[in-house]
Amino acid sequence: MSAGWNTIESDAGVFTYLLDNLGAKDVQFEELFSLDADFLRQRRPVYGVIFLFKYPVGEKPQDTPLDGVFDYDVAESRFFAAQTIQNACGTQALLSVLLNKDDGIDIGPKLQDFKDFTRAFPADLRGEALSNSELIREVHNSFARASPFADEAQRLATEEDDVYHFVAYTEMGGKLYELDGLQPAPISHGSCSSEEFPDKVIPILQRRIERYPAQEIRFNLMAMVRDLRIRAREIGDQDWLYQEEQKRTAWQWENALRRHNFVGFIGETLKAVVRSKLHQGDTKYEEWVEEATKTTSARRTERRKTQGGANEEEA
């Protein structure tokens, strides 16, 4: 791990426990696998959504957004922070929803102190304060994948690079806003109540996706909602509650695995297997390698037969 901000995955388990570790209560993320307003409505209250997409590196900044209008006034009255550092956009998008919903979410004392401290700041200073927050950076980095091959060098992305970016959408003060730290101000998408949010945000996301080539499918969408276990308890649905508890257990296991790299373990395992084969006789090692090579070749051939059409279309 570097002393800066590391990349984290767009994963509901990561973002849910990121919320928990920052001190927020009774809130979680749900991944959306389709642009379905009914799915969102079933999980009310929906506090906002976070959208991950491939960022157009070569696109020139514009005075007006491609969809909606800039609202410079709300940039001062609500929590909006300019993004001032790489790799922080996921956590920044999360906070863009969370810190504008503290009237309905218990965000915890530490985040409340941070919001109060930055309340009078302009967007650029809020971004600097966020980037330099030891609490937020440490929690963010605790969910980065461990890797012995991490590249500490920083460079500017080129048009050939695949660069991804998170933005948030939420309802504030009777309007639907897009909160993107790379933009000069929040983007208003018109009037919207919290009840209307699921129906109104889906067309906005559809229009955004339609700006990409038809073959581009690298998007991810997550909704910030109230802890679904609370709803399950309220209606007495024990099966649903069990499913949600199992999901939390799986998320905790996956997050624990992210904190470890297994290169050393794999290396020691391979060495142990090789030693075992060598002890079995002079030819056992060569026979084992030859058998593994044939098995791998057969799997590749079978994969080409079953997935060849799809691979050719993608290429």
Side-chain angles (χ1 to χ4, degrees), residues 1-7 87 141 144-154 258 261 263:
M1 300 293 177
S2 72
W5 293 71
N6 297 288
T7 302
N87 299 330
N141 284 346
R145 282 191 179 274
S147 172
F149 309 117
D151 183 5
E152 301 294 335
Q154 295 288 329
R258 287 183 176 93
N261 82 73
V263 173

Side-chain angles (χ1 to χ4, degrees), residues 183-248:
Q183 298 293 342
I187 298 173
S188 171
H189 291 280
S191 62
C192 177
S193 67
S194 58
E195 292 297 311
E196 294 173 321
F197 179 78
D199 293 291
K200 291 200 170 183
V201 74
I202 295 300
I204 295 168
L205 293 167
Q206 288 173 331
R207 291 196 297 270
R208 181 157 204 156
I209 291 173
E210 287 168 0
R211 299 204 296 262
Y212 287 82
Q215 66 271 21
E216 179 58 70
I217 59 171
R218 290 170 292 183
F219 304 102
N220 184 262
L221 183 63
M222 296 184 294
M224 185 188 292
V225 301
R226 188 173 66 150
D227 188 335
L228 295 177
R229 295 173 299 179
I230 297 174
R231 178 62 174 159
R233 293 188 188 101
E234 288 175 346
I235 64 176
D237 191 330
Q238 294 302 314
D239 290 338
W240 186 16
L241 178 59
Y242 175 76
Q243 292 173 6
E244 291 301 319
E245 293 288 4
Q246 290 297 106
K247 184 164 64 178
R248 291 285 180 131

Side-chain angles (χ1 to χ4, degrees), residues 22 106 162 219:
L22 286 171
D106 180 357
D162 286 341
F219 304 102

Side-chain angles (χ1 to χ4, degrees), residues 25-181:
K25 307 295 184 185
D26 299 334
V27 62
Q28 71 172 77
F29 275 92
E30 275 286 284
E31 192 162 2
L32 279 70
F33 297 101
S34 64
L35 295 177
D36 187 348
D38 288 335
F39 182 90
L40 272 179
R41 278 194 296 270
Q42 292 166 9
R43 281 147 183 83
R44 287 174 174 162
V46 180
Y47 303 115
V49 299
I50 293 178
F51 182 55
L52 174 72
F53 59 96
K54 184 177 178 182
Y55 189 77
V57 176
E59 187 174 278
K60 296 180 179 179
Q62 299 187 7
D63 295 332
T64 58
L66 296 176
D67 194 4
V69 295
F70 288 128
D71 188 336
Y72 290 91
D73 292 335
V74 82
E76 302 301 323
S77 60
R78 296 284 186 157
F79 182 84
F80 176 74
Q83 184 178 331
T84 62
I85 193 170
Q86 286 183 331
N87 299 330
C89 58
T91 295
Q92 185 155 337
L94 176 153
L95 292 173
S96 293
V97 176
L98 185 66
L99 297 186
N100 285 303
K101 294 294 180 180
D102 56 338
D103 56 341
I105 301 175
D106 180 357
I107 65 174
K110 293 181 179 179
L111 284 181
Q112 189 63 60
D113 287 346
F114 174 79
K115 182 177 180 181
D116 292 342
F117 173 69
T118 61
R119 190 179 302 275
F121 290 3
D124 55 344
L125 287 184
R126 283 197 193 117
E128 290 291 345
L130 193 159
S131 299
N132 288 287
S133 168
E134 188 173 336
L135 164 70
I136 298 172
R137 183 178 66 248
E138 287 183 354
V139 172
H140 170 100
N141 284 346
S142 71
F143 291 95
R145 282 191 179 274
S147 172
F149 309 117
D151 183 5
E152 301 294 335
Q154 295 288 329
R155 67 177 181 85
L156 293 176
T158 68
E159 293 187 34
E160 285 72 33
D161 291 322
D162 286 341
V163 178
Y164 295 88
H165 184 55
F166 291 89
V167 298
Y169 293 85
T170 189
E171 179 273 330
M172 299 188 301
K175 291 185 178 180
L176 196 159
Y177 284 98
E178 175 184 335
L179 302 173
D180 179 356

Side-chain angles (χ1 to χ4, degrees), residues 11 78 123 146 293:
D11 177 85
R78 296 284 186 157
T293 302

